[in-house]
């Protein structure tokens, strides 16, 4: 049982988002302490190991995340891929350590469950565990795609318990990246605009979104993307909440914005269509009872934006 660490961000205001509250103390000072890490890994009573295979966590028959408590050493030494990082995720309020590792052969742990895509399995996990497994997924993904030095092209190696890579030739250090994305729902009076992309399932509508560009504030990115995608001029931006989104390693920055007028003009490279929803319709979307459209569930920040606005009126 994870005991919430009060050294961590547990006392911050409520964040409604999945992946949104990392309740371990990341204890970054231990990442460089090989003796401490070794001792923690060898503690066969309380240390937890989260096994992954190719970026997918092990999920038990019950649908819960598999956490190897008291078997950390065994899981890592017997089944772990030793060319992949042994990732230290932090300590809980009992000072118990949490790690994640990549498993060589998924069949070796098949009696415990199966390795599943986090996007599909995530909504079933304990909300306290989800941010931890999401963090591990994002970092494993970064390691997998960054095996060579961006400066000189030589091979790099994981260091500091998975929290950086160091080039084997030029010694340059590379750190896990986070890609900031603005995701926003434009509103005009009592209506909210949602868009849809051609590749989405029939009827799905969601908030607009785009990567923040260098030299841009969050508010400017919201205004630029809203104008580019939907032709709407933003007059006010209200930040709602943020969400680490490990697909692959984004930070979703959610906003509800006001626009000047109904000048919708859809950029067909980005969207297939966009339509206004009244607040009553937004309530139907939240309840999954709209006759023609549906929106992402509360697991996605877009669902939280729509829900929040629907409940305001
Ligand atoms: Zn290099």
């Amino acid at each position: 049982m994870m005991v919430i660490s009060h050294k961590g961000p547990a006392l911050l205001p409520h964040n409604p988002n999945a992946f949104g509250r990392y309740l371990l103390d990341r204890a970054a000072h231990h990442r460089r302490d090989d003796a401490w890490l070794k001792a923690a890994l060898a503690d066969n009573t309380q240390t937890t190991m989260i096994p992954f295979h190719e970026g997918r966590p092990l999920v038990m028959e019950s649908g819960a995340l598999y956490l190897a408590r008291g078997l950390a050493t065994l899981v890592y030494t017997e089944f772990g891929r030793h060319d992949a990082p042994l990732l230290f995720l932090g300590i809980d309020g009992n000072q118990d350590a949490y790690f994640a590792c990549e498993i060589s052969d998924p069949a070796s742990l098949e009696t415990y469950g199966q390795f599943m895509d986090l996007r599909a399995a995530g909504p079933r996990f304990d909300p306290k565990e989800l941010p931890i497994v999401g963090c591990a997924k994002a970092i494993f993904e970064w390691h997998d795609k960054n095996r060579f030095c961006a400066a000189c092209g030589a091979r790099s190696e994981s260091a500091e318990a998975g929290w950086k890579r160091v080039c084997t030739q030029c010694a340059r250090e590379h750190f896990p990246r986070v890609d900031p994305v603005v995701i926003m729902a434009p509103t005009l009076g009592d209506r909210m605009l949602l868009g849809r992309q051609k590749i989405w399932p029939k009827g799905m509508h969601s908030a607009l979104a785009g990567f923040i560009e260098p030299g841009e504030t969050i508010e400017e990115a919201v205004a630029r993307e809203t104008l580019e995608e939907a032709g709407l001029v933003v007059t006010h931006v209200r930040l709602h909440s943020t969400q680490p989104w490990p697909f692959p390693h984004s930070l979703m920055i959610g906003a509800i914005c006001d626009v000047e007028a109904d000048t919708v003009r859809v950029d067909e490279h980005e969207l297939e269509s966009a339509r206004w929803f009244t607040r009553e319709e937004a309530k139907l979307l939240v309840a999954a009872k709209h006759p023609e459209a549906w929106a992402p569930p509360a697991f996605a920040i877009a669902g939280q934006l729509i829900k929040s606005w629907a409940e305001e009126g």
Side-chain angles (χ1 to χ4, degrees):
M1 190 65 193
M2 186 178 91
V3 177
I4 292 170
S5 168
H6 288 283
K7 283 182 185 168
L11 302 180
L12 289 176
H14 178 65
N15 181 319
N17 298 310
F19 303 105
R21 303 185 88 203
Y22 196 92
L23 294 171
L24 296 179
D25 176 351
R26 293 179 181 235
H29 56 288
H30 287 320
R31 295 172 188 167
R32 290 185 297 275
D33 188 343
D34 288 339
W36 187 92
L37 291 167
K38 202 172 166 191
L41 187 66
D43 178 351
N44 267 329
T45 54
Q46 296 302 329
T47 293
T48 291
M49 179 67 71
I50 308 173
F52 276 72
H53 182 255
E54 295 180 349
R56 292 172 300 154
L58 185 60
V59 179
M60 292 187 289
E61 282 283 304
S62 64
L65 179 65
Y66 177 78
L67 300 167
R69 291 206 173 87
L71 295 170
T73 317
L74 178 78
V75 168
Y76 180 63
T77 54
E78 292 287 313
F79 309 120
R81 247 183 64 197
H82 294 180
D83 60 335
L86 172 62
L87 178 61
F88 171 59
L89 292 160
I91 53 178
D92 71 10
N94 278 343
Q95 304 295 303
D96 295 336
Y98 286 66
F99 292 88
C101 70
E102 279 273 352
I103 299 298
S104 315
D105 176 7
S108 61
L109 291 175
E110 70 185 0
T111 53
Y112 297 100
Q114 57 173 320
F115 292 94
M116 288 185 69
D117 174 65
L118 183 58
R119 202 190 288 250
R124 305 196 308 206
F125 294 160
D126 182 329
K128 291 200 298 293
E129 294 169 350
L130 194 57
I132 301 165
V133 72
C135 170
K137 184 197 173 293
I139 292 188
F140 283 140
E141 181 104 20
W142 172 76
H143 280 285
D144 189 49
K145 299 289 189 302
N146 291 273
R147 288 173 292 161
F148 298 93
C149 175
C152 78
R155 188 167 287 280
S156 61
E157 288 178 340
S158 173
E160 295 191 5
W163 289 88
K164 72 175 182 185
R165 296 187 71 86
V166 180
C167 177
T168 54
Q169 288 297 315
C170 75
R172 191 173 293 230
E173 297 177 331
H174 302 277
F175 295 92
R177 62 177 289 170
V178 174
D179 300 325
V181 174
V182 284
I183 178 161
M184 55 276 165
T187 63
L188 180 61
D190 211 37
R191 294 186 296 165
M192 171 176 269
L193 187 93
L194 299 175
R196 66 165 274 111
Q197 294 179 15
K198 203 171 180 178
I199 60 166
W200 288 352
K202 189 168 185 285
M204 178 179 166
H205 285 71
S206 189
L208 310 180
F211 288 105
I212 297 181
E213 295 187 346
E216 204 168 43
T217 65
I218 292 169
E219 291 82 355
E220 286 167 346
V222 167
R224 176 182 53 76
E225 286 285 345
T226 303
L227 183 62
E228 283 176 5
E229 290 190 18
L232 297 171
V233 177
V234 171
T235 55
H236 184 257
V237 177
R238 180 158 49 111
L239 296 182
H240 177 271
S241 59
T242 57
Q243 179 185 42
W245 188 244
F247 308 103
H249 30 61
S250 295
L251 175 66
M252 308 302 287
I253 302 168
I256 295 171
C257 58
D258 298 335
V259 299
E260 195 176 48
D262 181 0
T263 52
V264 174
R265 191 193 67 254
V266 167
D267 174 356
E268 288 172 4
H269 294 292
E270 302 267 0
L271 297 175
E272 180 184 62
S273 61
R275 65 170 272 190
W276 294 102
F277 290 83
T278 64
R279 216 174 296 254
E280 289 311 308
E281 285 183 295
K283 286 175 183 165
L284 293 174
L285 288 175
V286 172
K289 287 180 177 166
H290 194 286
E292 300 135 33
W294 58 278
F299 186 69
I301 191 170
Q304 297 290 347
L305 294 176
I306 297 165
K307 179 169 179 278
S308 178
W309 183 78
E311 288 171 355
E312 282 172 17

Short mmCIF file of all heavy atoms in Angstrom, two decimals, residues 152-199:
data_model
loop_
_atom_site.label_atom_id
_atom_site.label_comp_id
_atom_site.label_asym_id
_atom_site.label_seq_id
_atom_site.Cartn_x
_atom_site.Cartn_y
_atom_site.Cartn_z
N CYS A 152 26.97 14.84 -31.10
CA CYS A 152 28.03 14.22 -31.90
C CYS A 152 27.61 12.89 -32.54
O CYS A 152 28.36 12.34 -33.35
CB CYS A 152 29.29 14.02 -31.06
SG CYS A 152 29.22 12.60 -29.95
N GLY A 153 26.47 12.37 -32.19
CA GLY A 153 25.97 11.15 -32.83
C GLY A 153 26.48 9.85 -32.23
O GLY A 153 26.05 8.77 -32.66
N ALA A 154 27.36 9.93 -31.22
CA ALA A 154 27.84 8.69 -30.58
C ALA A 154 26.77 8.13 -29.63
O ALA A 154 25.80 8.82 -29.30
CB ALA A 154 29.13 8.96 -29.81
N ARG A 155 26.98 6.90 -29.19
CA ARG A 155 26.01 6.28 -28.29
C ARG A 155 26.05 6.98 -26.93
O ARG A 155 27.10 7.40 -26.46
CB ARG A 155 26.38 4.79 -28.13
CG ARG A 155 25.37 3.98 -27.37
CD ARG A 155 25.63 2.49 -27.54
NE ARG A 155 25.27 2.00 -28.86
CZ ARG A 155 24.02 1.72 -29.25
NH1 ARG A 155 23.01 1.87 -28.43
NH2 ARG A 155 23.78 1.30 -30.47
N SER A 156 24.88 7.13 -26.32
CA SER A 156 24.83 7.69 -24.95
C SER A 156 24.34 6.60 -24.01
O SER A 156 23.78 5.58 -24.45
CB SER A 156 23.91 8.92 -24.91
OG SER A 156 22.59 8.56 -25.28
N GLU A 157 24.57 6.83 -22.71
CA GLU A 157 24.20 5.83 -21.70
C GLU A 157 23.36 6.47 -20.62
O GLU A 157 23.57 7.64 -20.26
CB GLU A 157 25.47 5.26 -21.04
CG GLU A 157 26.26 4.35 -21.95
CD GLU A 157 27.54 3.85 -21.30
OE1 GLU A 157 28.01 4.49 -20.32
OE2 GLU A 157 28.06 2.84 -21.78
N SER A 158 22.45 5.68 -20.05
CA SER A 158 21.63 6.16 -18.94
C SER A 158 22.50 6.40 -17.72
O SER A 158 23.46 5.66 -17.45
CB SER A 158 20.56 5.11 -18.62
OG SER A 158 19.86 5.48 -17.45
N ALA A 159 22.17 7.47 -16.98
CA ALA A 159 22.88 7.77 -15.72
C ALA A 159 21.86 8.28 -14.71
O ALA A 159 20.70 8.55 -15.06
CB ALA A 159 23.96 8.82 -15.96
N GLU A 160 22.29 8.41 -13.47
CA GLU A 160 21.44 8.93 -12.38
C GLU A 160 20.08 8.25 -12.33
O GLU A 160 19.02 8.89 -12.35
CB GLU A 160 21.31 10.46 -12.48
CG GLU A 160 22.65 11.14 -12.26
CD GLU A 160 22.57 12.64 -12.08
OE1 GLU A 160 21.47 13.19 -12.03
OE2 GLU A 160 23.65 13.25 -11.99
N ALA A 161 20.14 6.93 -12.26
CA ALA A 161 18.93 6.10 -12.09
C ALA A 161 17.87 6.39 -13.13
O ALA A 161 16.68 6.37 -12.84
CB ALA A 161 18.38 6.26 -10.67
N GLY A 162 18.33 6.68 -14.37
CA GLY A 162 17.40 6.86 -15.48
C GLY A 162 17.02 8.30 -15.77
O GLY A 162 16.28 8.56 -16.71
N TRP A 163 17.55 9.26 -14.99
CA TRP A 163 17.10 10.66 -15.12
C TRP A 163 17.96 11.51 -16.04
O TRP A 163 17.73 12.70 -16.18
CB TRP A 163 16.94 11.29 -13.74
CG TRP A 163 15.75 10.70 -13.05
CD1 TRP A 163 15.74 9.58 -12.26
CD2 TRP A 163 14.39 11.15 -13.14
NE1 TRP A 163 14.46 9.31 -11.85
CE2 TRP A 163 13.61 10.27 -12.36
CE3 TRP A 163 13.76 12.21 -13.78
CZ2 TRP A 163 12.23 10.41 -12.23
CZ3 TRP A 163 12.39 12.36 -13.65
CH2 TRP A 163 11.64 11.47 -12.88
N LYS A 164 18.99 10.92 -16.64
CA LYS A 164 19.70 11.63 -17.71
C LYS A 164 20.46 10.61 -18.55
O LYS A 164 20.54 9.43 -18.20
CB LYS A 164 20.65 12.70 -17.16
CG LYS A 164 21.90 12.20 -16.47
CD LYS A 164 22.78 13.40 -16.10
CE LYS A 164 24.06 12.93 -15.44
NZ LYS A 164 24.88 14.05 -14.95
N ARG A 165 20.98 11.05 -19.68
CA ARG A 165 21.87 10.25 -20.50
C ARG A 165 23.16 11.03 -20.68
O ARG A 165 23.15 12.27 -20.75
CB ARG A 165 21.25 9.91 -21.87
CG ARG A 165 20.00 9.05 -21.78
CD ARG A 165 19.51 8.61 -23.14
NE ARG A 165 20.37 7.62 -23.76
CZ ARG A 165 20.30 6.30 -23.55
NH1 ARG A 165 19.38 5.81 -22.74
NH2 ARG A 165 21.14 5.48 -24.14
N VAL A 166 24.27 10.31 -20.76
CA VAL A 166 25.58 10.94 -20.94
C VAL A 166 26.22 10.33 -22.17
O VAL A 166 26.23 9.10 -22.33
CB VAL A 166 26.48 10.73 -19.70
CG1 VAL A 166 27.84 11.40 -19.90
CG2 VAL A 166 25.80 11.27 -18.45
N CYS A 167 26.78 11.17 -23.04
CA CYS A 167 27.41 10.69 -24.27
C CYS A 167 28.71 9.97 -23.95
O CYS A 167 29.52 10.44 -23.16
CB CYS A 167 27.67 11.88 -25.20
SG CYS A 167 28.53 11.38 -26.71
N THR A 168 28.90 8.81 -24.58
CA THR A 168 30.12 8.02 -24.33
C THR A 168 31.35 8.64 -25.00
O THR A 168 32.47 8.28 -24.68
CB THR A 168 29.95 6.58 -24.86
OG1 THR A 168 29.58 6.66 -26.25
CG2 THR A 168 28.89 5.82 -24.09
N GLN A 169 31.15 9.58 -25.94
CA GLN A 169 32.29 10.22 -26.63
C GLN A 169 32.57 11.62 -26.12
O GLN A 169 33.66 11.91 -25.66
CB GLN A 169 32.02 10.27 -28.15
CG GLN A 169 32.10 8.93 -28.84
CD GLN A 169 33.49 8.31 -28.75
OE1 GLN A 169 34.50 8.97 -28.97
NE2 GLN A 169 33.54 7.03 -28.41
N CYS A 170 31.57 12.50 -26.21
CA CYS A 170 31.83 13.92 -25.86
C CYS A 170 31.36 14.28 -24.45
O CYS A 170 31.53 15.41 -24.02
CB CYS A 170 31.20 14.85 -26.90
SG CYS A 170 29.40 15.01 -26.76
N ALA A 171 30.78 13.32 -23.74
CA ALA A 171 30.37 13.49 -22.33
C ALA A 171 29.24 14.50 -22.15
O ALA A 171 28.92 14.88 -21.02
CB ALA A 171 31.55 13.86 -21.44
N ARG A 172 28.61 14.93 -23.23
CA ARG A 172 27.49 15.85 -23.08
C ARG A 172 26.34 15.15 -22.36
O ARG A 172 26.11 13.97 -22.57
CB ARG A 172 27.04 16.34 -24.46
CG ARG A 172 26.05 17.51 -24.37
CD ARG A 172 25.78 18.06 -25.74
NE ARG A 172 26.96 18.70 -26.29
CZ ARG A 172 26.98 19.93 -26.81
NH1 ARG A 172 25.89 20.65 -26.83
NH2 ARG A 172 28.08 20.44 -27.32
N GLU A 173 25.64 15.95 -21.53
CA GLU A 173 24.52 15.40 -20.78
C GLU A 173 23.21 15.74 -21.49
O GLU A 173 23.04 16.85 -21.98
CB GLU A 173 24.49 16.00 -19.37
CG GLU A 173 25.73 15.64 -18.55
CD GLU A 173 25.70 16.32 -17.19
OE1 GLU A 173 25.10 17.42 -17.07
OE2 GLU A 173 26.28 15.75 -16.25
N HIS A 174 22.28 14.78 -21.50
CA HIS A 174 20.96 15.00 -22.10
C HIS A 174 19.90 14.63 -21.07
O HIS A 174 20.04 13.60 -20.40
CB HIS A 174 20.80 14.12 -23.35
CG HIS A 174 21.86 14.39 -24.40
ND1 HIS A 174 21.77 15.41 -25.30
CD2 HIS A 174 23.04 13.77 -24.64
CE1 HIS A 174 22.84 15.40 -26.08
NE2 HIS A 174 23.64 14.42 -25.70
N PHE A 175 18.88 15.47 -20.96
CA PHE A 175 17.86 15.27 -19.92
C PHE A 175 16.50 14.94 -20.53
O PHE A 175 16.20 15.38 -21.65
CB PHE A 175 17.77 16.53 -19.05
CG PHE A 175 19.05 16.77 -18.28
CD1 PHE A 175 20.06 17.57 -18.80
CD2 PHE A 175 19.26 16.14 -17.05
CE1 PHE A 175 21.25 17.76 -18.11
CE2 PHE A 175 20.45 16.33 -16.36
CZ PHE A 175 21.45 17.13 -16.89
N PRO A 176 15.67 14.20 -19.79
CA PRO A 176 14.34 13.83 -20.32
C PRO A 176 13.58 15.09 -20.73
O PRO A 176 13.59 16.09 -20.02
CB PRO A 176 13.65 13.15 -19.14
CG PRO A 176 14.76 12.68 -18.27
CD PRO A 176 15.87 13.68 -18.43
N ARG A 177 12.92 15.03 -21.88
CA ARG A 177 12.22 16.22 -22.33
C ARG A 177 10.72 16.13 -22.06
O ARG A 177 10.15 15.04 -21.99
CB ARG A 177 12.49 16.51 -23.81
CG ARG A 177 12.04 15.44 -24.76
CD ARG A 177 12.32 15.89 -26.20
NE ARG A 177 11.41 16.97 -26.59
CZ ARG A 177 11.55 17.68 -27.72
NH1 ARG A 177 12.56 17.43 -28.52
NH2 ARG A 177 10.68 18.61 -28.02
N VAL A 178 10.14 17.31 -21.90
CA VAL A 178 8.69 17.44 -21.74
C VAL A 178 8.23 18.40 -22.83
O VAL A 178 8.82 19.46 -23.01
CB VAL A 178 8.34 18.04 -20.35
CG1 VAL A 178 6.85 18.30 -20.26
CG2 VAL A 178 8.80 17.11 -19.24
N ASP A 179 7.23 18.03 -23.60
CA ASP A 179 6.74 18.88 -24.69
C ASP A 179 5.46 19.59 -24.26
O ASP A 179 4.42 18.94 -24.07
CB ASP A 179 6.44 18.02 -25.93
CG ASP A 179 7.68 17.29 -26.42
OD1 ASP A 179 8.78 17.86 -26.32
OD2 ASP A 179 7.55 16.15 -26.91
N PRO A 180 5.49 20.90 -24.09
CA PRO A 180 4.27 21.61 -23.67
C PRO A 180 3.27 21.79 -24.81
O PRO A 180 3.63 22.19 -25.91
CB PRO A 180 4.78 22.97 -23.18
CG PRO A 180 6.10 23.16 -23.82
CD PRO A 180 6.65 21.81 -24.20
N VAL A 181 2.03 21.45 -24.52
CA VAL A 181 0.94 21.51 -25.50
C VAL A 181 -0.19 22.35 -24.89
O VAL A 181 -0.58 22.10 -23.75
CB VAL A 181 0.41 20.09 -25.80
CG1 VAL A 181 -0.82 20.15 -26.71
CG2 VAL A 181 1.48 19.22 -26.41
N VAL A 182 -0.70 23.33 -25.64
CA VAL A 182 -1.91 24.01 -25.17
C VAL A 182 -3.13 23.27 -25.69
O VAL A 182 -3.14 22.78 -26.83
CB VAL A 182 -1.97 25.49 -25.61
CG1 VAL A 182 -1.02 26.35 -24.79
CG2 VAL A 182 -1.71 25.66 -27.10
N ILE A 183 -4.12 23.14 -24.83
CA ILE A 183 -5.38 22.50 -25.24
C ILE A 183 -6.50 23.40 -24.73
O ILE A 183 -6.54 23.74 -23.55
CB ILE A 183 -5.47 21.04 -24.74
CG1 ILE A 183 -6.81 20.43 -25.14
CG2 ILE A 183 -5.22 20.93 -23.25
CD1 ILE A 183 -6.82 18.91 -25.11
N MET A 184 -7.34 23.87 -25.64
CA MET A 184 -8.28 24.91 -25.23
C MET A 184 -9.65 24.73 -25.84
O MET A 184 -9.82 24.20 -26.93
CB MET A 184 -7.75 26.31 -25.58
CG MET A 184 -7.40 26.51 -27.02
SD MET A 184 -5.71 25.90 -27.29
CE MET A 184 -5.65 25.81 -29.05
N ALA A 185 -10.63 25.23 -25.08
CA ALA A 185 -12.01 25.24 -25.53
C ALA A 185 -12.43 26.70 -25.67
O ALA A 185 -12.55 27.41 -24.68
CB ALA A 185 -12.88 24.51 -24.52
N PRO A 186 -12.61 27.18 -26.90
CA PRO A 186 -13.05 28.56 -27.10
C PRO A 186 -14.53 28.70 -26.77
O PRO A 186 -15.34 27.84 -27.12
CB PRO A 186 -12.81 28.81 -28.60
CG PRO A 186 -12.00 27.65 -29.09
CD PRO A 186 -12.31 26.51 -28.18
N THR A 187 -14.88 29.79 -26.11
CA THR A 187 -16.28 30.03 -25.77
C THR A 187 -16.71 31.41 -26.27
O THR A 187 -15.91 32.35 -26.33
CB THR A 187 -16.54 29.95 -24.26
OG1 THR A 187 -15.81 30.99 -23.60
CG2 THR A 187 -16.13 28.61 -23.70
N LEU A 188 -18.00 31.51 -26.62
CA LEU A 188 -18.60 32.78 -27.02
C LEU A 188 -19.94 32.83 -26.32
O LEU A 188 -20.88 32.12 -26.72
CB LEU A 188 -18.75 32.83 -28.55
CG LEU A 188 -19.37 34.12 -29.12
CD1 LEU A 188 -18.51 35.35 -28.79
CD2 LEU A 188 -19.52 34.00 -30.64
N GLY A 189 -19.98 33.63 -25.24
CA GLY A 189 -21.21 33.66 -24.45
C GLY A 189 -21.54 32.29 -23.90
O GLY A 189 -20.73 31.69 -23.21
N ASP A 190 -22.70 31.77 -24.28
CA ASP A 190 -23.15 30.50 -23.72
C ASP A 190 -22.90 29.32 -24.67
O ASP A 190 -23.58 28.31 -24.60
CB ASP A 190 -24.66 30.61 -23.39
CG ASP A 190 -24.98 29.73 -22.20
OD1 ASP A 190 -24.14 29.67 -21.27
OD2 ASP A 190 -26.06 29.11 -22.19
N ARG A 191 -21.90 29.49 -25.54
CA ARG A 191 -21.57 28.39 -26.46
C ARG A 191 -20.08 28.08 -26.40
O ARG A 191 -19.25 28.97 -26.19
CB ARG A 191 -21.95 28.76 -27.90
CG ARG A 191 -23.45 28.92 -28.12
CD ARG A 191 -23.76 29.15 -29.59
NE ARG A 191 -23.20 30.42 -30.07
CZ ARG A 191 -23.08 30.74 -31.36
NH1 ARG A 191 -23.47 29.89 -32.29
NH2 ARG A 191 -22.56 31.90 -31.72
N MET A 192 -19.75 26.83 -26.61
CA MET A 192 -18.35 26.37 -26.62
C MET A 192 -18.09 25.69 -27.95
O MET A 192 -18.90 24.87 -28.41
CB MET A 192 -18.12 25.39 -25.47
CG MET A 192 -16.78 24.67 -25.49
SD MET A 192 -16.55 23.60 -24.03
CE MET A 192 -15.73 24.75 -22.92
N LEU A 193 -16.93 26.00 -28.55
CA LEU A 193 -16.58 25.39 -29.83
C LEU A 193 -15.73 24.13 -29.61
O LEU A 193 -14.74 24.18 -28.89
CB LEU A 193 -15.78 26.36 -30.70
CG LEU A 193 -15.55 25.82 -32.12
CD1 LEU A 193 -16.64 26.29 -33.06
CD2 LEU A 193 -14.18 26.21 -32.65
N LEU A 194 -16.13 23.04 -30.24
CA LEU A 194 -15.31 21.83 -30.23
C LEU A 194 -15.06 21.42 -31.67
O LEU A 194 -15.93 21.59 -32.54
CB LEU A 194 -16.01 20.70 -29.47
CG LEU A 194 -16.30 20.97 -27.99
CD1 LEU A 194 -17.10 19.82 -27.38
CD2 LEU A 194 -15.00 21.17 -27.19
N GLY A 195 -13.88 20.86 -31.91
CA GLY A 195 -13.54 20.47 -33.28
C GLY A 195 -13.52 18.96 -33.42
O GLY A 195 -13.63 18.22 -32.42
N ARG A 196 -13.41 18.52 -34.67
CA ARG A 196 -13.17 17.08 -34.86
C ARG A 196 -12.18 16.87 -36.01
O ARG A 196 -12.16 17.61 -37.00
CB ARG A 196 -14.45 16.27 -35.05
CG ARG A 196 -15.27 16.49 -36.27
CD ARG A 196 -16.28 15.33 -36.45
NE ARG A 196 -15.68 14.21 -37.17
CZ ARG A 196 -15.39 13.01 -36.67
NH1 ARG A 196 -15.64 12.72 -35.43
NH2 ARG A 196 -14.82 12.09 -37.41
N GLN A 197 -11.33 15.87 -35.82
CA GLN A 197 -10.37 15.49 -36.85
C GLN A 197 -10.95 14.32 -37.63
O GLN A 197 -11.67 13.48 -37.08
CB GLN A 197 -9.03 15.09 -36.22
CG GLN A 197 -8.33 16.26 -35.55
CD GLN A 197 -7.01 15.86 -34.90
OE1 GLN A 197 -6.47 14.79 -35.16
NE2 GLN A 197 -6.51 16.72 -34.04
N LYS A 198 -10.57 14.29 -38.91
CA LYS A 198 -11.11 13.28 -39.81
C LYS A 198 -10.86 11.85 -39.31
O LYS A 198 -11.69 10.96 -39.49
CB LYS A 198 -10.45 13.47 -41.19
CG LYS A 198 -11.26 12.92 -42.32
CD LYS A 198 -10.63 13.34 -43.65
CE LYS A 198 -11.43 12.79 -44.81
NZ LYS A 198 -10.90 13.20 -46.10
N ILE A 199 -9.69 11.64 -38.69
CA ILE A 199 -9.32 10.27 -38.28
C ILE A 199 -10.04 9.81 -37.01
O ILE A 199 -9.95 8.65 -36.63
CB ILE A 199 -7.79 10.14 -38.06
CG1 ILE A 199 -7.32 11.11 -36.96
CG2 ILE A 199 -7.04 10.36 -39.35
CD1 ILE A 199 -5.92 10.79 -36.46
#
